[in-house]
Amino acid sequence: ILMSDISELAIEEFSGGVVLPVKAQPGSRKNELRGIHDGRLRVCITQVPERGRANKAIVALLSKTLAIPKSSLAIHSGHLSSQKKIAVIGMTINSLRERVNRALKC
């Protein structure tokens, strides 16, 4: 992943942190971050989207791969959609970009 890709990530700022746009792919073969597409971080998870399981799996994966406490992550919008916005409390755009970049390079 090139830095030019990371700049395509359409992170928005709000008073308490930032909002990360995500494209969820439930029912994938493995849990992983799979690049940036159309300004969104593609998050693949094995869970199926029923009773909020996929949403929980997305938060858990982002927490683990981006080294952000689960308590700082919340689904801001798109609970029932594959296009989600994840609120990241207490984070700046630059530090989130850095973490995403690091996670995608692994």
Side-chain angles (χ1 to χ4, degrees), residues 47-68:
Q47 279 290 359
V48 291
E50 60 184 33
R51 290 199 217 99
R53 288 190 184 130
N55 289 342
K56 282 190 185 119
I58 289 167
V59 168
L61 180 64
L62 289 173
S63 170
K64 188 175 135 190
T65 55
L66 302 179
I68 298 169

Side-chain angles (χ1 to χ4, degrees), residues 22-67:
V22 161
K23 169 79 170 107
Q25 281 198 287
S28 295
R29 247 187 261 145
K30 62 182 186 174
N31 292 329
E32 65 180 347
L33 303 183
R34 203 178 285 160
I36 296 161
H37 302 275
D38 298 329
R40 294 176 175 275
L41 180 63
R42 183 177 285 178
V43 180
C44 299
I45 39 142
T46 56
Q47 279 290 359
V48 291
E50 60 184 33
R51 290 199 217 99
R53 288 190 184 130
N55 289 342
K56 282 190 185 119
I58 289 167
V59 168
L61 180 64
L62 289 173
S63 170
K64 188 175 135 190
T65 55
L66 302 179

Side-chain angles (χ1 to χ4, degrees), residues 6-23:
I6 207 79
S7 65
E8 290 173 25
L9 195 53
I11 302 169
E12 301 162 39
E13 218 160 356
F14 71 98
S15 58
V18 293
V19 176
L20 173 66
V22 161
K23 169 79 170 107

Side-chain angles (χ1 to χ4, degrees), residues 68-103:
I68 298 169
K70 276 188 199 168
S71 59
S72 297
L73 295 167
I75 295 185
H76 176 66
S77 66
H79 287 83
L80 301 176
S81 164
S82 66
Q83 313 264 327
K84 301 182 184 302
K85 290 194 173 185
I86 313 287
V88 187
I89 313 301
M91 180 80 56
T92 65
I93 288 178
N94 285 342
S95 74
L96 183 58
R97 276 190 205 282
E98 225 171 78
R99 287 169 190 243
V100 170
N101 195 38
R102 211 174 308 138

